[in-house]
C-alpha cells in the first residue's frame, strides 16, 4: 500500500521514478514498479519484484563486485537528488538484490556475478520532494549514505586508501561534506585509477567493525547448489 485517501508523497515519487523517461536514466536504480493497482478509488498498491533486503549480506568475492555495488548506490542517490528527491531513510534494509534464497541464508558466496546481479533502492515511505536542488540537503543525506557504506566496504581502505578518504569526507560534520554528485564523481575517479590487477583482486575481509577494524572471512560462506538460487531478471 503506497497511498490512501489523500495521494501520498511515496506514490508521487514512485510515479516519478517509474516514468518512461526516468527509467531510461542508467542511474535510476530504484525498484521498478510492475503495476499500480487501485481499490475503491482511494487505495493504491504498488506491485514490485521480490528483491530481498540483503544488499550487503552475501559475500563480495572481488574488489570489482564491491565497486559495482558502491557505484550503483552512489548513482541512485545522484539520480534521486538531481530530481529533488530525498530518500530520508538511508538504511541497508531499504536496498535490495535480485536474488531469492532461503531467508535464513545470510551469507552465501557466488551471488555477485556482475553479469547477473542487480541492486535497487526502495521504501520511499519517509521520502521528501524538494522543489529546488540544494547542496545542503544533499550533503546531509550523503552523510548517512557514507555511514551505511562503512560496514560492508571500509575494510578496502587497507589496499585502496582513497576509498577510506572518500567515506570520511562523505561523513564530515563541519558543513564541508560531499553532495551526491561529488561523491559519485570522486568514486569514479578512484575506480578509474585502479589497475586491472587491483580491480580483479580477491577480497579477504567480510566487513568493517568500528571497534575491531577489518573483520576477516573467518567463517566459510554457506554454499548452496545452483538450482537453489533464483535470479530475478527485472532490471532496476
Amino acid at each position: 500500500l503506497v497511498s490512501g485517501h489523500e495521494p501520498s508523497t511515496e506514490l508521487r515519487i514512485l510515479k516519478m521514478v517509474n516514468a518512461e523517461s526516468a527509467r531510461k536514466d542508467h542511474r535510476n536504480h530504484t525498484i521498478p514498479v510492475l503495476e499500480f493497482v487501485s481499490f475503491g478509488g482511494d487505495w493504491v498498491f504498488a506491485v514490485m519484484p521480490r528483491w530481498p533486503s540483503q544488499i550487503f549480506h552475501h559475500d563480495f568475492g572481488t574488489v570489482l563486485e564491491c565497486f559495482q555495488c558502491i557505484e550503483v548506490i552512489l548513482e541512485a542517490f545522484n539520480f534521486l537528488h538531481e530530481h529533488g528527491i530525498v530518500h530520508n531513510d538511508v538504511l541497508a534494509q531499504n536496498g535490495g538484490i535480485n536474488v531469492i534464497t532461503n531467508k535464513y541464508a545470510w551469507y552465501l558466496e557466488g551471488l555477485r556475478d556482475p553479469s547477473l546481479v542487480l541492486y535497487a533502492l526502495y521504501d520511499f515511505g519517509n521520502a521528501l520532494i524538494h522543489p529546488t536542488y540544494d547542496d545542503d540537503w544533499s550533503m546531509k543525506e550523503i552523510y548517512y549514505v557514507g555511514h551505511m557504506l562503512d560496514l560492508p566496504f571500509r575494510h578496502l581502505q587497507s589496499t585502496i586508501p582513497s576509498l577510506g578518504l572518500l567515506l570520511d569526507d562523505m561523513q564530515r560534520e563541519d558543513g564541508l561534506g560531499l553532495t551526491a554528485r561529488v561523491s559519485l564523481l570522486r568514486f569514479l575517479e578512484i575506480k578509474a585509477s585502479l589497475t586491472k590487477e587491483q580491480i580483479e583482486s580477491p577480497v579477504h575481509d567480510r566487513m568493517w567493525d568500528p571497534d575491531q577494524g577489518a573483520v576477516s572471512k573467518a567463517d566459510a560462506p554457506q554454499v548452496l547448489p545452483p538450482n537453489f538460487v533464483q535470479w530475478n531478471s527485472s532490471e532496476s
Side-chain angles (χ1 to χ4, degrees), residues 2 11 14-15 17-19 23 30-38 44-51 100 118 232-236:
V2 295
L11 176 60
L14 289 177
K15 288 187 174 181
V17 300
N18 283 281
R23 278 292 157 203
T30 59
I31 191 77
V33 173
L34 306 177
E35 184 181 6
F36 290 102
V37 180
S38 298
V44 180
F45 293 80
V47 181
M48 306 172 187
R50 182 188 171 191
W51 290 13
I100 300 174
L118 296 171
N232 187 313
S233 61
S234 298
E235 294 186 359
S236 61

Side-chain angles (χ1 to χ4, degrees), residues 159-178:
T159 55
I160 309 173
S162 53
L163 181 63
L165 294 175
L166 172 60
L167 293 173
D168 288 340
D169 287 345
M170 289 170 68
Q171 297 175 75
R172 290 182 64 159
E173 300 182 34
D174 56 3
L176 298 175
L178 305 182

Side-chain angles (χ1 to χ4, degrees), residues 30-103:
T30 59
I31 191 77
V33 173
L34 306 177
E35 184 181 6
F36 290 102
V37 180
S38 298
F39 286 92
D42 291 326
W43 308 100
V44 180
F45 293 80
V47 181
M48 306 172 187
R50 182 188 171 191
W51 290 13
S53 56
Q54 298 178 345
I55 190 167
F56 301 136
H57 290 178
H58 302 299
D59 179 66
F60 287 93
T62 65
V63 170
L64 174 61
E65 292 175 0
C66 293
F67 269 48
Q68 181 188 29
C69 185
I70 298 171
E71 185 170 344
V72 163
I73 291 168
L74 294 181
E75 282 186 339
F77 281 96
N78 183 226
F79 167 80
L80 291 175
H81 290 190
E82 190 175 285
H83 289 79
I85 300 169
V86 177
H87 187 278
N88 209 33
D89 195 13
V90 182
L91 298 170
Q93 68 195 42
N94 291 329
I97 181 174
N98 66 324
V99 177
I100 300 174
T101 69
N102 185 313
K103 66 179 180 179

Side-chain angles (χ1 to χ4, degrees), residues 193-214:
S193 73
L194 300 182
T195 65
K196 185 174 185 292
E197 182 180 13
Q198 285 177 304
I199 200 72
E200 294 178 353
S201 62
V203 173
H204 301 291
D205 294 318
R206 179 176 178 181
M207 66 181 72
W208 177 266
D209 182 279
D211 297 318
Q212 301 178 37

